[in-house]
Amino acid sequence: MQTSQIPEIFKAQKIRIRQAEVQPIASRIASLARIKRWIEQNRRQIQDAIFKDFGKPPAEVDLSEIYPVLSEIKHAQKSIEQWTRSIRAAAPVALIGTKSRVIYEPKGVCLIISPWNFPFNLTVAPLVSALTAGNRVILKPSELTPNCSSLIEKMVSELFDPDEVAVIPGGKEVAEQLLKLPFDHIFFTGSPKVGKIVMQNAAQNLSSVTLELGGKSPAVVDVSANLEDTAEKLVWGKFLNCGQTCIAPDYVLVEETVEEALLEHMISYVDKFFDPEGEGIDASNSYSRIISSQHLQRLDLLLSEALDEQAFLECGGVVDYQQMYFAPTIVSKVGLDTRLMQEEIFGPILPVICYSKLSEVIEQINQRPKPLALYVFSESKTFVDRVIKETSSGSMAINDCIIQFMNPNLPFGGVNNSGFGKSHGFRGFQAFSNEKSIITQKTGMTSVKPLYPPYTGLTQKAIDLLLKYL
Ligand code: NAD
């Protein structure tokens, strides 16, 4: 679709949603089945496109792009009848004789703007939620993954009419043009900086927003943690997608007496995962590349600034601009005021910082914006409970990382700077639905009639009774 077609497509979608009765459940189920079949038939193309975009290994595409979308579709197919059922609500005594219920109606015409880091997953999974809720949708995938974005455009054009779902490719300028339109909901995944721009634009039309943003997600390693297991999970979670994951552990806070052992295990897992034959990590077919040379340069600079400030390079640090390669890198003794510890890293550099008391950890976390994810590795229930109770974050995983994303029964999303509104499963359906309240009264009846004017002494007595007892 061309940018010049935006007004026409938007208008056509608005007209279609107004004319149509609420999209029947059967046709929503059919749309989900069409997407599922297309993905199953085009799995190879999805792998190839994302490999071309940033060298992501096909197995990782299966695991982190295809599996989450298929799982979202299957969950929606199983649950749609239940989610779309109207829910009876109880009424207070003052409303005796009435019937109350809540129905979920589609919000209408929705915009989904997605990032490049999980380009298929983070575009198609919200589409699944929007269609399950019965909406019309315009998608704006990222300009930084042209191969995957064109494939999504192809998928949508094969499966839907543009007045149902349309893809508008392009970058910032296209997004800005789309954001001027009065969408019924905007679902944005990206950086907090652009999230603010999206919200400002949405405010002009009072469009509701879901903002799935980023930030620095800490991992805390207590003295009681199983260090080898922790190291293995942290190395997997951090270097998956070459560290370009919104919920990757951004930095590690480790109890000082176990720092050395944790570092040893982590360094050994980097080799076990990415260089088992000793041929060099740049030869590994299990490790992605950095998305663009600007991103590579930014990471390179973040690392060299930290090293200039006396951080210690435990492993990695190798950068190859030809190959867009940045080695899995672990650094210790990092200054808290370096940019590495101030900005979201969003790449394969893992700073490890020591602490001596839990109160220091809690203070460190709470003085920064609330994270999207927080990870705790500990065998102590008291330790874990204190972190749960004394910090705020979008999600937490105890003794693991990343896996909270894989459970469609858990709401996924951030809090304040890391975003708001939730996605996945029922919460995704809810984000794209208007929860409409309906109360039905019998003609001629109402238990609140004694409260109508004129406000006589008798009315006042009825009001007093209401305040006191009902
Ligand atoms: P980004 O904010 O730069 O871009 C996201 C989308 O916004 C892209 O489609 C881009 O074209 C568009 N965009 C860019 N500038 C815009 C503008 N001025 N106005 C309107 N739209 C604009 O983010 P990115 O670099 O693609 O992704 C990385 C960020 O996304 C990180 O901060 C990461 O943590 C976050 N993220 C969050 C989640 C989550 O689920 N919470 C998931 C993935 C990524």
Side-chain angles (χ1 to χ4, degrees), residues 191-211:
S191 58
K193 182 173 150 239
V194 179
K196 288 177 193 169
I197 299 172
V198 170
M199 199 165 161
Q200 266 169 358
N201 281 280
Q204 301 312 309
N205 295 306
L206 292 176
S207 304
S208 54
V209 287
T210 301
L211 299 180

Side-chain angles (χ1 to χ4, degrees), residues 218-287:
V220 183
V221 183
D222 171 36
V223 70
S224 69
N226 177 321
L227 297 177
E228 182 167 359
D229 182 66
T230 302
E232 185 177 16
K233 288 168 176 171
L234 283 174
V235 168
W236 173 70
K238 178 68 186 187
F239 300 115
L240 170 86
N241 218 39
C242 204
Q244 303 165 116
T245 304
C246 56
I247 48 170
D250 184 277
Y251 61 100
V252 176
L253 296 167
V254 58
E255 204 278 341
E256 59 193 3
T257 60
V258 293
E259 182 202 20
E260 209 180 308
L262 180 74
L263 282 167
E264 261 172 39
H265 285 302
M266 287 204 295
I267 293 163
S268 121
Y269 272 105
V270 168
D271 284 337
K272 280 187 193 153
F273 285 171
F274 305 114
D275 196 16
E277 308 297 333
E279 291 166 349
I281 299 176
D282 56 348
S284 165
N285 55 13
S286 302
Y287 190 61

